[in-house]
Amino acid sequence: MTAQPSVVVIGAGLAGLACATRLLASGAEVTVLEARNRVGGRVEGGHLADGTPIELGGQWLGPGQNRMYELVADLGLETFRTWNDKGRMVIDLRGRRTTMRSHKGAVPRLSPFALADLGQGLARFTALSSRVDLRRPWESPDAHDLDGQTFETWIRRTLRTPSGRAYFRIACEAVFSADSTDLSLLHALFYSHSGTDLETLLATDAGAQQDRVVGGSIRIAEAMAAALGDRVRLGEPVRRIEHDTAGVRVETRTGTVVTADRVVVTLPPTLAGRLEYAPALPSWRDQLTQRVPAGSVIKCYAAYDHPFWRDAGLNGQAASDRGPVKVTFDNSPPSGTPGILMGFIEADDGREWARRPEQERREAVLACFARYVGPQALTPVQYVERDWMAQEFSRGCYGAHFAPGVWTAYGHALRTPVGRIHWAGAECSPVWNGYMEGAVRSGETTAAEVLAAG
Ligand SMILES: Cc1cc2nc3c(=O)[nH]c(=O)nc-3n(C[C@H](O)[C@H](O)[C@H](O)COP(=O)(O)OP(=O)(O)OC[C@H]3O[C@@H](n4cnc5c(N)ncnc54)[C@H](O)[C@@H]3O)c2cc1C
């Protein structure tokens, strides 16, 4: 019998934890080196002053994310429905405020012309995205043409009405935390297909925002890490990987050195590119990591004694073309109290508002909440925010996006191991790319790849 390999996993986010769990179960010797003093990475828990758990990073699960639901059940955790049905959602487009029921496929009340325009735009986008090859997007039909334009170019060419264009731009910010000018059309199509379709990514019921984990998504990472015990080493930012045909030597900023047969790097591409490799990585791998930036987002919470918006027939959800917060949700706990409104400052708004003083940002966020659900929103009992661009070991969220030309020129380098160095993470997954589901699947796939390599 061949002995199983020894493996260093870099990063204790969901991908790293899932990878290490699989490796350990197969008899491999595993060490997880995590830079932060906590596990979870882009999944992070916190508490309000009254002890209510809040989720500062990734939180929702939805249909199709089967691995996450299995994991939640295996770890003895439970999910609950996102608050959605207790009223109508606010749509604030081009200075006109309307409300509507929030269900998958629902479209805002628009003029017949705008409605027809939006309908044809969505149909065209879905048809194009369903043709993208999820494993090798660069080999999809018309890949070079699709990758040679931004999402914004397509929006301008395809949508005729200002409302139709606004819908797609808001959708882009909400899904990618990036502007439609930032990313390749091929990437927008790939990503949507990877998570079923654009409408699924945008929907609450029957969509990617359907469920939450009781007590917070961080409980998943904490339970996985607990099972790995002292194999997970916190406060160990890796700075250098030496690799040759015999094995790997991984060194952290604290001077810790771990040698092993193989290493799995689970960092988002841009952070993986900041590590020192000896010998240096091939040009195609390094150039890929130079071109896959993280999105820009600040997640904002305001807590109230009770969810007062429900008294006015609103469900706390809003979508608007006026920032800085353009998208909100009711993030109250299962009991319904306290009432919690959560909103994202995304893309260009994220970049701009990150540079302003916190007090100014708080006032602007609360003014948006008040515009959506009423003036009571101006006086929360507590306000909390997390700027993900400022987190040294994330440098942006929700995930990374591919600029024009990158999938077709460098897509092949995303998952291909370099000698004894393997890659994992939400960005590496062909399915639910950028989501917790993608992170877990990618970690498990890479564990199998490492075991097969011996
Ligand atoms: C605000 C926000 C909202 C989101 N919403 C959702 C959602 O609702 N649903 C959903 O499915 N997904 C959501 N996501 C995305 C989801 O959280 C991520 O896709 C997923 O958690 C990524 O997991 P990962 O393991 O691939 O990467 P990460 O979680 O980034 O893990 C990488 C790990 O590597 C560590 N690290 C970095 N540098 C080093 C180093 N030099 N040495 C050692 N360790 C290092 C990091 O600290 C981190 O722990 C959201 C993300 C954010 C931030």
Side-chain angles (χ1 to χ4, degrees), residues 104-350:
K104 191 174 175 187
V107 287
R109 255 188 285 156
L110 301 169
S111 72
F113 189 46
L115 216 50
D117 186 39
L118 183 55
Q120 65 84 24
L122 278 168
R124 280 203 210 185
F125 188 86
T126 305
L128 273 180
S129 79
S130 67
R131 293 163 59 205
V132 174
D133 179 335
L134 293 179
R135 300 212 158 264
R136 303 169 75 81
W138 56 94
E139 289 184 0
S140 306
D142 305 319
H144 279 88
D145 183 36
L146 301 172
D147 206 26
Q149 55 187 301
T150 62
F151 191 15
E152 175 66 18
T153 311
W154 180 87
I155 292 172
R156 285 193 205 161
R157 270 206 210 123
T158 314
L159 281 303
R160 298 287 158 83
T161 60
S163 299
R165 290 177 178 176
Y167 177 93
F168 272 92
R169 288 176 186 140
I170 299 168
C172 179
E173 292 182 29
V175 170
F176 296 96
S177 53
D179 287 289
S180 50
T181 47
D182 292 336
L183 50 119
S184 141
L185 173 60
L186 180 62
H187 183 69
L189 297 167
F190 155 76
Y191 195 91
S192 303
H193 185 28
S194 138
T196 314
D197 55 31
L198 184 61
E199 287 183 77
T200 302
L201 297 189
L202 293 171
T204 301
D205 273 346
Q209 282 69 238
Q210 180 176 282
D211 293 313
R212 293 170 54 204
V213 177
V214 177
S217 53
I218 190 60
R219 294 184 67 198
I220 303 170
E222 286 173 349
M224 292 171 91
L228 290 164
D230 60 10
R231 293 174 190 86
V232 180
R233 295 166 68 169
L234 302 178
E236 293 283 13
V238 169
R239 65 171 199 87
R240 180 177 165 88
I241 300 175
E242 292 174 20
H243 57 115
D244 59 26
T245 51
V248 297
R249 179 183 180 277
V250 180
E251 191 183 324
T252 73
R253 285 189 208 165
T254 67
T256 298
V257 171
V258 184
T259 56
D261 295 317
R262 296 188 176 269
V263 60
V264 178
V265 180
T266 74
L267 317 189
T270 194
L271 293 188
R274 293 181 190 183
L275 302 182
E276 194 183 325
Y277 298 86
L281 295 184
S283 59
W284 40 266
R285 170 69 204 185
D286 190 73
Q287 293 227 325
L288 167 80
T289 59
Q290 293 176 38
R291 288 164 165 80
V292 190
S296 312
V297 66
I298 305 171
K299 188 172 184 178
C300 308
Y301 274 86
Y304 305 88
D305 288 333
H306 85 285
F308 62 86
W309 47 91
R310 294 184 200 165
D311 306 339
L314 300 174
N315 68 4
Q317 287 174 45
S320 172
D321 55 0
R322 272 192 292 164
V325 173
K326 293 179 179 158
V327 178
T328 66
F329 287 88
D330 180 334
N331 238 22
S332 307
S335 66
T337 44
I340 300 178
L341 277 182
M342 186 273 287
F344 295 113
I345 311 182
E346 293 160 326
D348 218 17
D349 290 309

Side-chain angles (χ1 to χ4, degrees), residues 10-15 33-36 40-43 56-60 236-238 266-268 271 275 299 388 393 397-398 425-426 434-436 439:
I10 305 182
L14 290 178
L33 295 174
E34 166 55 48
R36 290 172 160 109
R42 280 175 271 175
V43 169
L56 296 163
Q59 62 174 56
W60 288 294
E236 293 283 13
V238 169
T266 74
L267 317 189
L271 293 188
L275 302 182
K299 188 172 184 178
W388 281 93
F393 299 112
C397 281
Y398 315 106
Y435 285 76
M436 297 188 283

